Amino acid sequence: MTIFTTFRKSLQKWLLPLAFWLGVWSLAAACIGQSILLPSPLAVGRKMLQLAAGPQFWQITAASLGRIVLGLAAGGVLGVGLAGLTRSFRWADLLISPALRIIRATPVVSFILLVLLWTRRDLVPAVIAAMMVTPVVWGGVSQGLGEVDPKLLEMAKLCRFSRWKTILLVHIPSVWPYLLSALTTGMGLAWKSGVAAEVLCTPKRAIGTQMQYARSAIDNPALFAWTILVVALSLALEGLLYALLRRGGRYAGS
């Protein structure tokens, strides 16, 4: 009974919405009747299998994945560090917080064009992903640090905890849920901004570069196939990251 209930919930959560939107897509493609405007799911699926059969597909996917993960990791570390700095020192908050808010409000394309002037094109996507993730993580961790229970800090002080022990036993468990939320949000931003940078910078091996080539060749099935790959990778990595951080949160809270 438990297995049946779990299967039914999974069906309702994933398969039914997927089947519904595939049906809508197929109906729209049939009504338009022009693959150059809207290819059918079947045409996109065939193109995906055709692309996946070549060795370059996996090299391109791995290269883009590496850039996005590198940008996410760099942005996460930088965001946590800056949150600790701006929460600990008033001068740091005065100087750094406005800059991070400006980065969060500025269109990503502006940074892509600027960073392209300063570094190699194959590094631009990772740099842009890190820039987009940093303010999100900084905002989440800063909020978490502001929500730390003063009574726990007072207890740590009475127990003569060292600074590092206080961070480990009080700050980290309190901040962890905020970090989890910020990083899962940051994952989606990293993919969007990183692939956008690839489209504009066209590194040698990149999903964004292939999307640009497909657009130039008016190969819409290929454009849809690469887009679906980006969405699938983003959702898969977001789920993996969420699971890992939740497991880490149990250890942090114990």
Side-chain angles (χ1 to χ4, degrees):
M1 186 66 179
T2 305
I3 296 175
F4 177 75
T5 304
T6 304
F7 175 76
R8 187 179 63 184
K9 288 182 178 179
S10 299
L11 184 68
Q12 292 174 345
K13 185 177 181 181
W14 297 108
L15 295 183
L16 289 179
L18 180 62
F20 172 78
W21 288 111
L22 282 176
V24 171
W25 180 5
S26 299
L27 182 61
C31 290
I32 293 174
Q34 296 185 35
S35 182
I36 196 172
L37 295 178
L38 182 63
S40 68
L42 187 59
V44 174
R46 282 199 299 261
K47 176 61 74 169
M48 178 74 78
L49 292 175
Q50 181 184 341
L51 293 171
Q56 279 197 340
F57 175 86
W58 302 105
Q59 295 171 5
I60 289 167
T61 302
S64 287
L65 183 61
R67 293 186 190 100
I68 299 304
V69 171
L70 177 62
L72 178 70
V77 171
L78 192 57
V80 170
L82 290 176
L85 192 64
T86 54
R87 274 287 172 180
S88 300
F89 304 102
R90 182 171 176 77
W91 62 266
D93 184 43
L94 185 65
L95 296 175
I96 296 173
S97 296
L100 291 171
R101 292 190 179 95
I102 289 172
I103 291 174
R104 189 160 51 188
T106 303
V108 65
V109 67
S110 302
F111 287 117
I112 294 171
L113 296 175
L114 288 172
V115 174
L116 184 58
L117 298 174
W118 302 330
T119 188
R120 300 199 320 266
R121 64 177 57 210
D122 57 330
L123 291 178
V124 173
V127 174
I128 292 299
M131 289 182 68
M132 295 300 104
V133 170
T134 298
V136 175
V137 174
W138 164 77
V141 174
S142 294
Q143 183 181 356
L145 289 172
E147 298 292 330
V148 175
D149 191 343
K151 293 181 180 179
L152 292 177
L153 293 174
E154 187 66 27
M155 183 185 69
K157 188 176 181 181
L158 291 173
C159 294
R160 299 179 181 273
F161 283 1
S162 67
R163 183 175 182 83
W164 288 111
K165 193 172 183 179
T166 302
I167 291 173
L168 182 64
L169 298 180
V170 178
H171 287 96
I172 290 180
S174 300
V175 168
W176 200 269
Y178 297 90
L179 178 62
L180 171 63
S181 176
L183 283 177
T184 49
T185 301
M187 174 63 78
L189 284 175
W191 273 106
K192 290 177 183 178
S193 59
V195 173
E198 290 179 346
V199 170
L200 290 178
C201 302
T202 60
K204 186 175 181 181
R205 290 188 178 91
I207 292 175
T209 302
Q210 297 304 311
M211 294 172 71
Q212 180 69 281
Y213 291 163
R215 185 198 67 81
S216 300
I218 319 180
D219 186 357
N220 278 356
L223 181 58
F224 272 71
W226 287 112
T227 303
I228 290 171
L229 176 63
V230 170
V231 173
L233 286 174
S234 178
L235 292 175
L237 283 178
E238 184 177 318
L240 178 62
L241 179 66
Y242 186 81
L244 290 174
L245 287 174
R246 282 201 67 181
R247 178 169 293 186
R250 294 193 193 103
Y251 290 116
S254 61

